[in-house]
């Protein structure tokens, strides 16, 4: 089944509100003609409102980079999915390797955030991916399968089908080093076959699996041409409107 491509921009800890507003305004203009490609951006929480205001009416979704497992309460320093949804967010990023590495997000925490996101009415993008050492040890597929099993535990079929997955090999994030299309396609196919073993066929057929890790205008087309790569999660290149628009253009059939 043909899946509609989904390109997401993860702005990480960049773009203060005024800069985010300017980038969003440029994107609204440059992405006006994008066919049916789904597009979303993930500003830092402090810039979500400015981004929403500038991008309103464009159909580009806005998401939050992380949420607390609780909708409210005594959790100083965090943001909640319910509040992000109330603000106008559609998506939440979960399990990004930087969250796993710097904030100790293990499978249980990833799974709890998916639960909190879905309960708040947000659509999670769930990131998985192996380190260089794990790849060299021949464990890439096994690591990704374990992360999936841990992340998706307890979700019913209606919930699983709402997720987008992002395969982001840790060694390719922010390093300039991209997985070759063949390397990425192999893991994407293995994720889809893991889904096929675990769920009824409509789920692996419908679920979009993005590739992430140094995606840029020069490599987007060949990655997106792979049969199991349904989009991209873009970090560095999403901070520049022209580059991000070029990646979206590469996804237009
Ligand atoms: P990158 O980041 O495109 O800068 O490698 C991707 C990501 O972290 O999602």
């Amino acid at each position: 089944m043909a899946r509609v491509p989904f390109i997401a921009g993860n702005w990480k800890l960049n773009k203060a509100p005024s800069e985010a507003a300017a980038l969003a305004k440029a994107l609204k203009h440059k992405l006006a003609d994008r066919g049916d490609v789904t597009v979303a951006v993930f500003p830092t929480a402090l810039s979500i409102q400015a981004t929403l205001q500038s991008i309103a009416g464009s159909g580009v979704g806005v998401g939050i980079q992380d949420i607390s497992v609780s909708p409210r309460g005594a959790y100083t320093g965090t943001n909640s999915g319910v509040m992000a949804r109330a603000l106008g967010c559609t998506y939440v990023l979960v399990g990004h390797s930087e969250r796993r590495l710097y904030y100790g997000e293990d499978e249980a925490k990833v799974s709890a955030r998916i639960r909190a996101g879905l309960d708040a009415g947000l659509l999670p993008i769930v990131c998985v991916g192996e380190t260089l050492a794990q790849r060299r040890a021949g464990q890439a597929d096994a690591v990704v399968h374990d992360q999936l099993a841990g992340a998706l535990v307890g979700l019913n079929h209606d919930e699983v089908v709402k997720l987008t997955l992002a395969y982001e090999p840790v060694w390719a994030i922010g390093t300039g080093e991209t997985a070759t299309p063949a390397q990425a396609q192999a893991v994407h196919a293995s994720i889809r076959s893991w889904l096929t073993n675990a769920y009824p066929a409509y789920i692996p057929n419908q679920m979009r699996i993005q590739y992430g890790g140094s995606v840029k205008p020069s490599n987007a087309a060949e990655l997106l041409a792979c049969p199991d790569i349904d989009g991209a999660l873009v970090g560095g290149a999403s901070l520049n409107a022209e580059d991000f628009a070029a990646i979206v253009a590469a996804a237009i059939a």
Side-chain angles (χ1 to χ4, degrees):
M1 179 194 278
R3 289 167 292 269
V4 174
F6 183 3
I7 308 293
N10 175 9
W11 297 354
K12 308 191 181 185
L13 187 47
N14 297 292
K15 303 291 175 188
S18 61
E19 298 166 322
L23 176 55
K25 191 172 165 208
L27 288 176
K28 182 174 177 176
H29 177 66
K30 286 185 190 299
L31 296 176
D33 200 11
R34 62 177 184 283
D36 63 355
V37 178
T38 310
V39 181
V41 294
F42 291 79
T44 176
L46 292 173
S47 296
I48 287 174
Q49 182 135 38
T51 302
L52 280 162
Q53 278 165 359
S54 285
I55 220 152
S58 67
V60 173
V62 176
I64 186 163
Q65 294 174 12
D66 177 50
I67 54 168
S68 166
V69 298
S70 298
R72 66 188 63 77
Y75 300 96
T76 302
T78 57
N79 297 294
S80 101
V82 170
M83 294 178 195
R85 185 79 190 109
L87 194 58
C89 286
T90 307
Y91 300 97
V92 58
L93 214 50
V94 182
H96 189 279
S97 64
E98 287 152 18
R99 301 287 321 169
R100 293 177 189 263
L101 183 64
Y102 304 138
Y103 304 97
E105 279 185 23
D106 55 12
E107 269 19 281
K109 290 182 179 165
V110 168
S111 150
R113 280 168 168 73
I114 295 172
R115 173 85 272 145
L118 288 169
D119 287 350
L122 296 170
L123 300 172
I125 297 181
V126 182
C127 306
V128 295
E130 82 286 359
T131 63
L132 188 56
Q134 289 166 332
R135 171 160 285 267
R136 287 192 172 141
Q139 296 167 345
D141 286 353
V143 166
V144 166
H145 295 171
D146 283 353
Q147 289 173 335
L148 283 174
L152 274 46
V153 69
L155 300 181
N156 65 38
H157 294 171
D158 290 347
E159 292 169 335
V160 171
V161 82
K162 287 183 184 159
L163 307 178
T164 297
L165 301 179
Y167 168 58
E168 297 208 307
V170 177
W171 48 272
I173 296 177
T175 58
E177 199 167 325
T178 320
T180 64
Q183 282 173 322
Q185 164 58 27
V187 179
H188 281 237
S190 127
I191 291 173
R192 209 172 304 279
S193 80
W194 184 90
L195 292 169
T196 302
N197 287 331
Y199 299 105
Y202 76 91
I203 290 183
N205 284 344
Q206 282 181 33
M207 269 180 89
R208 294 182 287 192
I209 310 173
Q210 300 172 325
Y211 169 77
S214 301
V215 176
K216 31 191 187 250
S218 58
N219 61 22
E222 55 175 1
L223 286 161
L224 293 167
C226 297
D228 288 295
I229 299 183
D230 310 310
L233 180 53
V234 186
S238 72
L239 299 175
N240 176 289
E242 214 137 279
D243 287 352
F244 190 62
I247 293 167
V248 173
I252 299 171

